[in-house]
Amino acid sequence: MFNEANAVRDFVRDRLVAGGWAFAPAAKLDRVEGDVLVESAVRAALLRLNPSIAAVPARADEVLHRLRAVILAASGGSLIASNAEFTAWLSGERSMPFGPDGEHVTIRLIDADAPAANDLVVSTEVTFRRGRVERRFDLVLWINGMPLVVGEAKSPVRPAYSWVDAAAQIHDDYEKNVPMFFVPNVLVFATEGKEFRYSSVGAPVGLWGPWREDRAGAQPVGLQSVKQGIAGLLTAPVIVDFMRFFTVFATDKKHRKIKVIARFQQYHAANGIVARVRDGRVKKGLLWHFQGSGKSLLMVFTALKLRATAALRSPTVLIVVDRIDLDTQITATFNAADVPNLVSTDRRDELEQLLRVGARKVIITTIHKFAEADGVLDGRDNIIVMVDEAHRTQEGDLGRKMRAALPNAFLFGLTGTPINTRDRNTFWAFGSETDAGGYMSKYSFSDSIRDGATLPLHFEPRPADLRVDQAAIDAGFDEATRGLTDKERTLLARRAASTAHLLKASDRIDKIAADVARHFSDHVAPNGFKAQVVVYDKEACVLFKAALDRYLPAESSAVVMSLEARDPQEWKDNFGLDRDAEAKLLDRFRDPADPLSILIVTAKLLTGFDAPILQTQYLDRPLRDHTLLQAICRTNRTYPSKTHGLIVDYLGIFDDVARSLMFDDHSIQKVITNIAQLGDQLPGAIAEALAFFPGVDRTVGGWEGLQEAQSHLPDDETRDAFAAAYSVVSQLWEAISPDPVLAAYEADYRWLTDVYESVRPSDHTGKLVWHALGAKTLELINSNVQVEVPREDLETIVLSAAVIEDLAAGGADPKAKIKELEILISARIAKHAHDPVFQALGARLQELRERYAHGQQASLEFLRELLALARDTVAAEKAVNEVPREERGKAALTELFESIRNDETPVMVERVVAEIDEVVRAVRFDGWQSTTAGDREVQQALRRTLYVRYKLRDPEVFARAHEYVREYY
């Protein structure tokens, strides 16, 4: 009834015909089975689109001869190289001497300005034969007689087949055995009627992606999903768009030519930027595309189309990276893609010169090169700036300088991590109030996992618990600090007990290094993957390398860190790397055959480092917010046989990850619209702070000016009042930056800041004490701190697309699992209410709840302890059968009525629950939830019990009770 041909292939064909393509059965095409091109159609297009060929029709044969040569080259050479050459012909980048006096003129094979006006044909069951090799393609889309798209279909009703089989047939069979047919190819697609996937020639199946429309809400499934792919991708305008602007040919690390085409989110976002620039009314936009989903290529595709859009008059495209140097993945991607008219500059004078002369180029530079920009560098309105990793902390005054230098430019911010409350100014700097939720384009973590662009993250908590002999430390500390004042002792104790010193305790580092070595050897290396260890600071890198070398061969690990002049010479000798040496070391790490398998880092390689072979990150450094997310996403790149990235967490950072993924679009929208009001408050705040200095000439510098200012702050009370006024100014300044409105107040703000810093209290006594006694104090602490072997008995937490969606929606913290566990444990304990063992378990549960409610426990730790309690509860009732659903229902109802009981509602919870249980059991029947009559009868019984008997007339309580009854009865 349903098969590959009638249910899938013909569905695609019919949708294409409905969309304007003409259907021509393979047998009706004007070609023999050994031809790649329908040459009569190509000839007709050449005559129609090229006046110089129309004048001398024989010239069409010269062009066809050249095209045949390109196709034939694939039989004994590289398909990708031939495809790149044919793409150049398709894109109008090749010419022939057909003009006056042999002048070269551009050859047009396709009408790119009016794609729908081309000859559009779809055929099914197209056979191509070369010698004794023959293959038949399910679907071929011809534009002007050239097979630009090939599709393969599989049956929707045979479980053994999927789109993967169709894609593998194209990649592993067709491209290998009949490569010539794919020389003109723009893209290929595969479907089994459930999913629609597409890619470029040469791409392994793991890199094929879906096509989705750029809209929120549930995505279609089945044939509707395929229909979306056909309508969105398989149209002449989109195919021509891909051919011209959304395809790049690059060279990989092994010097092989590869072809890359845009994923759907890159295509939609790039076209959104181009449309916004052409329209000209909204001059900014914020794009969030999660780490690993192709942000660098998005910039490449956007730059290519912006530069080729005639209406923009050869614009300048500025790519601004947030690093001090240009050694970034974005720079590498632009260079590898061979983008025309590209220039990279890390010199301020060169950047200023390029802008002052209005260079029509793609310019890559750093935000720091605007630090000393003085006034307007280029006032044109066809400058488009794309800022990478657009966080407020990387913008601020530098961003304001950039805006002042380019006052009429379009500004688009791209970020790979969610922007949380601490970075909301990113929305102010780039987000437009015209964009829903503040984003011009959003491609979230869950989107990227769902589409296979990135992998899920697994968290494996392995905390290394510290046991501190406080009595021994106190006794030793008293002895060592005899003679110090109480204040000096306090300062010394605070510094010695800092997180840094505890994390770097020698016993702790040794035990964690041993655990890393064991875990890596058992779980990572056997699968062919590599790892990264993230430690507290540079000293910890050195200490960890020495410890790890005791358990693994020295050549298996390396330290990568930035060194400064003040760092010890020993570190420079052992771990110093110039740029070339570091690049070679990282290439070794990416090489699966190289023994270098573990990189020890603290700050470097946490952002922008792309090594798909990296699967596991051992995290022993407290990170937060976007830095944390960027770091852990080093592991989420796709790689053969890699199913997930793994974070082995020695510090318990999962709660921070969860919080970083939760943000409210409504509150963000308020930030975008309301932050403008802060600008109105700034002049008054500055005036209030300056009012402390009547008559002071703020143009006077040096000690004379500073002394005059300080004389107006004669006592602590006045200084405190000034500090409060300055604090308001500072917070407003940080919130509004980098808006150009600040420029008018910069001199006043800098002067106030200098005065504030000059009178802010500082105490150097602590530094002097530390210098004298710090080493002894550390030795004392280290000798009395014992580290437990990292625990391996904790649950692995999977950060999958579903969990991410829950977190992003604020639905799981992971509270859903917590609530489910609480109800289950309550049910089991309630069944044995008079058993002392279960009474103790109940008390333990109550204690856990109270600690969590009072904020003494993070949700992850609470979940861990609940899991332990659940295991203990199950163990205690081994002789008892599984708790019936009704018992769980009673436990859930008990929790509900306990939660609403107060002085005004003296409800006997046990009696209410028992009565509900009794009446529901009396009126229910199998399957009652799915019948209107059954549900109505249960509701009536529940209403009589709550509303009439117990006077509980709260609709919300009734709704929740009804929900529990439906679930458990």
Side-chain angles (χ1 to χ4, degrees):
M1 183 178 292
F2 305 114
N3 57 41
E4 170 188 314
N6 66 25
V8 181
R9 184 201 65 193
D10 292 351
F11 177 81
V12 176
R13 178 200 64 196
D14 294 347
R15 299 284 71 72
L16 288 167
V17 170
W21 295 76
F23 173 62
K28 298 292 185 181
L29 293 172
D30 184 17
R31 64 180 281 274
V32 297
E33 291 181 344
D35 289 344
V36 171
L37 307 175
V38 180
E39 293 194 356
S40 59
V42 179
R43 185 178 287 105
L46 287 168
L47 293 168
R48 185 173 69 250
L49 298 172
N50 300 275
S52 61
I53 296 177
V56 184
R59 289 172 171 168
D61 291 323
E62 294 184 48
V63 176
L64 279 166
H65 176 74
R66 297 285 295 274
L67 296 180
R68 288 190 212 104
V70 176
I71 291 170
L72 284 169
S75 62
S78 165
L79 168 58
I80 303 300
S82 296
N83 184 248
E85 177 60 20
F86 205 101
T87 301
W89 280 92
L90 288 170
S91 302
E93 298 174 13
R94 295 295 179 263
S95 60
M96 296 285 283
F98 296 160
D101 301 321
E103 180 181 325
H104 272 256
V105 294
T106 298
I107 302 301
R108 298 176 68 202
L109 296 176
I110 288 179
D111 186 347
D113 298 322
N118 293 288
D119 179 23
L120 309 178
V121 174
V122 56
S123 301
T124 56
E125 304 304 319
V126 176
T127 299
F128 178 74
R129 180 184 296 111
R130 197 69 181 174
R132 290 182 293 179
V133 179
E134 177 183 307
R135 292 294 185 272
R136 181 176 295 177
F137 314 118
D138 289 340
L139 292 144
V140 177
L141 278 63
W142 313 83
I143 297 184
N144 294 345
M146 296 170 286
L148 301 191
V149 178
V150 175
E152 188 68 18
K154 293 297 177 188
S155 171
V157 295
R158 294 183 64 183
Y161 288 100
S162 72
W163 70 266
V164 174
D165 299 283
Q169 193 165 358
I170 292 174
H171 179 264
D172 298 338
D173 181 2
Y174 298 163
E175 292 177 13
K176 300 290 189 300
N177 292 304
V178 286
M180 289 181 294
F181 197 83
F182 292 87
V183 169
N185 190 269
V186 173
L187 58 90
V188 289
F189 71 91
T191 178
E192 83 287 59
K194 301 173 185 176
E195 293 189 59
F196 178 95
R197 298 274 174 153
Y198 74 99
S199 189
S200 62
V201 294
V205 175
L207 296 181
W208 288 48
W211 182 271
R212 306 189 196 280
E213 289 307 302
D214 192 18
R215 59 169 180 259
Q219 292 295 330
V221 296
L223 289 175
Q224 289 303 310
S225 175
V226 179
K227 183 179 179 181
Q228 178 178 264
I230 297 166
L233 179 63
L234 301 184
T235 69
V238 176
I239 292 169
V240 171
D241 222 13
F242 265 82
M243 175 192 78
R244 297 178 68 198
F245 310 120
F246 294 93
T247 297
V248 294
F249 293 89
T251 303
D252 67 10
K253 294 283 185 182
K254 296 183 178 178
H255 309 292
R256 298 172 300 189
K257 202 170 190 67
I258 59 173
K259 179 181 182 179
V260 181
I261 63 175
R263 289 180 176 268
F264 75 92
Q265 76 273 8
Q266 296 164 333
Y267 179 83
H268 292 316
N271 277 329
I273 291 175
V274 173
R276 183 159 291 188
V277 173
R278 291 188 63 169
D279 180 68
R281 287 178 295 176
V282 179
K283 305 202 72 169
K284 62 180 180 177
L286 179 63
L287 298 88
W288 169 34
H289 285 211
F290 207 81
Q291 295 288 340
S293 55
K295 189 158 44 69
S296 300
L297 279 169
L298 164 57
M299 290 187 178
V300 170
F301 297 135
T302 306
L304 289 173
K305 189 159 187 178
L306 285 169
R307 291 278 301 143
T309 301
L312 302 183
R313 312 180 316 279
S314 297
T316 298
V317 179
L318 203 61
I319 309 297
V320 180
V321 300
D322 69 331
R323 294 268 293 275
I324 293 177
D325 60 62
L326 286 174
D327 185 20
T328 68
Q329 184 180 337
I330 288 175
T331 307
T333 302
F334 269 83
N335 288 328
D338 198 21
V339 174
N341 296 305
L342 174 70
V343 58
S344 297
T345 177
D346 56 1
R347 287 173 38 207
R348 180 177 54 82
D349 57 340
E350 184 180 17
L351 174 63
E352 291 191 6
Q353 178 64 19
L354 287 167
L355 292 173
R356 289 193 190 281
V357 301
R360 263 63 169 178
K361 295 179 180 293
V362 177
I363 303 171
I364 303 179
T365 190
T366 71
I367 188 70
H368 306 85
K369 294 300 168 282
F370 289 93
E372 299 176 26
D374 186 17
V376 176
L377 296 179
D378 196 332
R380 286 181 296 134
D381 61 0
N382 66 335
I383 298 175
I384 301 98
V385 181
M386 288 186 279
V387 179
D388 176 46
E389 293 304 343
H391 303 297
R392 179 193 61 78
T393 49
Q394 295 156 349
E395 271 285 296
D397 289 347
L398 292 175
R400 187 167 52 80
K401 288 276 192 179
M402 182 181 73
R403 286 162 173 75
L406 309 170
N408 298 311
F410 289 84
L411 300 172
F412 297 97
L414 293 92
T415 180
T417 50
I419 290 120
N420 55 33
T421 54
R422 298 200 336 162
D423 285 314
R424 278 184 175 167
N425 281 16
T426 306
F427 291 92
W428 164 241
F430 296 99
S432 169
E433 57 269 23
T434 63
D435 293 326
Y439 292 109
M440 177 182 168
S441 175
K442 178 180 176 181
Y443 189 66
S444 69
F445 194 4
S446 58
D447 292 333
S448 68
I449 293 174
R450 172 200 62 196
D451 296 337
T454 61
L455 298 173
L457 292 176
H458 291 195
F459 284 79
E460 186 176 317
R462 295 167 76 88
D465 297 328
L466 295 173
R467 287 197 303 154
V468 179
D469 187 344
Q470 192 62 49
I473 290 178
D474 290 345
F477 189 73
D478 288 342
E479 179 66 28
T481 58
R482 189 173 297 161
L484 295 183
T485 66
D486 288 344
K487 184 176 183 180
E488 290 171 339
R489 286 163 56 89
T490 300
L491 288 169
L492 179 60
R494 187 179 300 146
R495 292 196 64 178
S498 70
T499 300
H501 298 307
L502 290 173
L503 292 182
K504 290 186 290 186
S506 57
D507 185 44
R508 182 180 184 279
I509 284 184
D510 186 75
K511 282 193 168 63
I512 290 180
D515 190 65
V516 167
R518 185 166 49 251
H519 184 278
F520 179 80
S521 300
D522 292 345
H523 302 291
V524 183
N527 297 316
F529 303 131
K530 299 194 177 185
Q532 190 180 54
V533 182
V534 183
V535 298
Y536 189 82
D537 57 15
K538 288 185 282 189
E539 182 187 22
C541 285
V542 176
L543 296 172
F544 202 94
K545 170 62 174 167
L548 197 60
D549 285 351
R550 291 195 285 272
Y551 300 100
L552 292 174
E555 64 270 18
S556 66
S557 65
V559 171
V560 181
M561 60 183 179
S562 299
L563 293 172
E564 302 169 338
R566 61 185 178 183
D567 288 326
Q569 186 61 41
E570 182 183 359
W571 295 5
K572 298 173 188 175
D573 294 339
N574 293 329
F575 308 114
L577 296 170
D578 60 25
R579 182 174 296 185
D580 290 341
E582 182 179 307
K584 289 178 181 176
L585 183 136
L586 297 183
D587 284 342
R588 287 181 52 210
F589 180 76
R590 295 184 180 100
D591 182 355
D594 195 286
L596 176 60
S597 302
I598 300 174
L599 296 178
I600 303 167
V601 302
T602 181
K604 293 201 77 167
L605 309 186
L606 296 189
T607 63
F609 175 52
D610 190 23
I613 198 172
L614 170 58
Q615 188 248 2
T616 300
Q617 185 179 79
Y618 299 97
L619 191 57
D620 194 39
R621 178 187 168 190
L623 300 171
R624 298 192 64 185
D625 303 327
H626 68 266
T627 307
L628 169 59
L629 286 170
Q630 286 181 318
I632 64 177
C633 287
R634 296 311 96 207
T635 68
N636 74 346
R637 306 304 197 264
T638 58
Y639 189 77
S641 302
K642 183 175 165 186
T643 59
H644 61 274
L646 176 63
I647 310 300
V648 178
D649 174 17
Y650 292 104
L651 293 176
I653 52 84
F654 181 80
D655 281 335
D656 288 322
V657 175
R659 278 192 292 272
S660 297
L661 286 168
M662 286 189 288
F663 45 95
D664 180 2
D665 283 349
H666 296 297
S667 63
I668 288 165
Q669 192 70 32
K670 290 177 184 176
V671 170
I672 297 171
T673 55
N674 293 348
I675 209 164
Q677 299 171 7
L678 299 180
D680 298 334
Q681 300 174 23
L682 183 64
I686 286 183
E688 187 175 332
L690 291 175
F692 284 86
F693 309 98
V696 173
D697 185 353
R698 297 196 298 279
T699 64
V700 177
W703 64 267
E704 295 95 339
L706 185 60
Q707 180 174 268
E708 176 66 13
Q710 290 177 348
S711 68
H712 287 72
L713 305 171
D715 50 48
D716 287 345
E717 183 178 350
T718 308
R719 284 192 289 272
D720 287 346
F722 166 65
Y726 172 80
S727 177
V728 173
V729 174
S730 176
Q731 291 178 42
L732 285 171
W733 190 274
E734 289 299 317
I736 299 167
S737 183
D739 195 278
V741 72
L742 298 177
Y745 304 98
E746 183 170 10
D748 288 340
Y749 177 66
R750 296 300 176 206
W751 188 86
L752 286 168
T753 300
D754 287 345
V755 174
Y756 170 77
E757 288 296 333
S758 76
V759 297
R760 186 162 65 96
S762 61
D763 189 345
H764 298 288
T765 306
K767 292 183 180 179
L768 297 175
V769 173
W770 180 258
H771 182 72
L773 292 172
K776 290 182 179 179
T777 306
L778 278 185
E779 183 180 346
L780 174 67
I781 290 177
N782 285 341
S783 62
N784 289 283
V785 172
Q786 290 184 326
V787 184
E788 300 294 335
V789 174
R791 292 172 58 189
E792 302 180 26
D793 59 334
L794 299 179
E795 301 285 331
T796 295
I797 298 161
V798 179
L799 207 55
S800 63
V803 174
I804 293 296
E805 286 170 356
D806 282 343
L807 290 172
D813 190 23
K815 292 175 181 171
K817 190 167 186 178
I818 285 173
K819 193 63 186 173
E820 180 185 339
L821 270 174
E822 281 191 87
I823 290 174
L824 181 61
I825 294 169
S826 295
R828 290 178 178 261
I829 291 175
K831 192 176 179 184
H832 308 275
H834 301 295
D835 187 324
V837 173
F838 286 88
Q839 289 173 356
L841 290 170
R844 189 167 141 200
L845 175 61
Q846 186 59 33
E847 182 189 355
L848 273 177
R849 285 171 170 159
E850 289 175 0
R851 291 207 325 251
Y852 182 53
H854 290 91
Q856 296 170 10
Q857 275 187 316
S859 59
L860 177 59
E861 186 61 31
F862 184 37
L863 178 55
R864 287 179 190 150
E865 295 205 25
L866 275 178
L867 288 166
L869 179 58
R871 281 194 292 267
D872 292 346
T873 303
V874 171
E877 60 164 22
K878 277 185 178 179
V880 181
N881 293 330
E882 179 71 19
V883 176
R885 286 171 59 86
E886 290 88 346
E887 291 297 331
R888 282 184 278 157
K890 290 177 71 174
L893 289 167
T894 299
E895 287 220 346
L896 169 62
F897 292 112
E898 284 283 7
S899 69
I900 65 166
R901 184 170 60 177
N902 56 43
D903 293 339
E904 284 71 42
T905 59
V907 178
M908 291 183 64
V909 173
E910 188 175 348
R911 197 169 69 194
V912 176
V913 171
E915 191 155 332
I916 291 174
D917 180 68
E918 183 179 343
V919 298
V920 170
R921 286 176 189 265
V923 301
R924 70 172 182 178
F925 53 85
D926 287 343
W928 68 267
Q929 295 95 333
S930 58
T931 67
T932 303
D935 191 49
R936 183 171 58 247
E937 193 168 348
V938 169
Q939 285 196 54
Q940 288 173 350
L942 184 61
R943 198 174 284 112
R944 283 194 301 271
T945 304
L946 294 181
Y947 286 9
V948 179
R949 184 163 174 76
Y950 288 100
K951 313 300 183 191
L952 293 173
R953 298 179 178 276
D954 186 330
E956 184 178 348
V957 172
F958 175 84
R960 288 178 61 190
H962 179 234
E963 178 185 340
Y964 287 146
V965 169
R966 282 185 62 86
E967 180 177 356
Y968 295 108
Y969 288 82

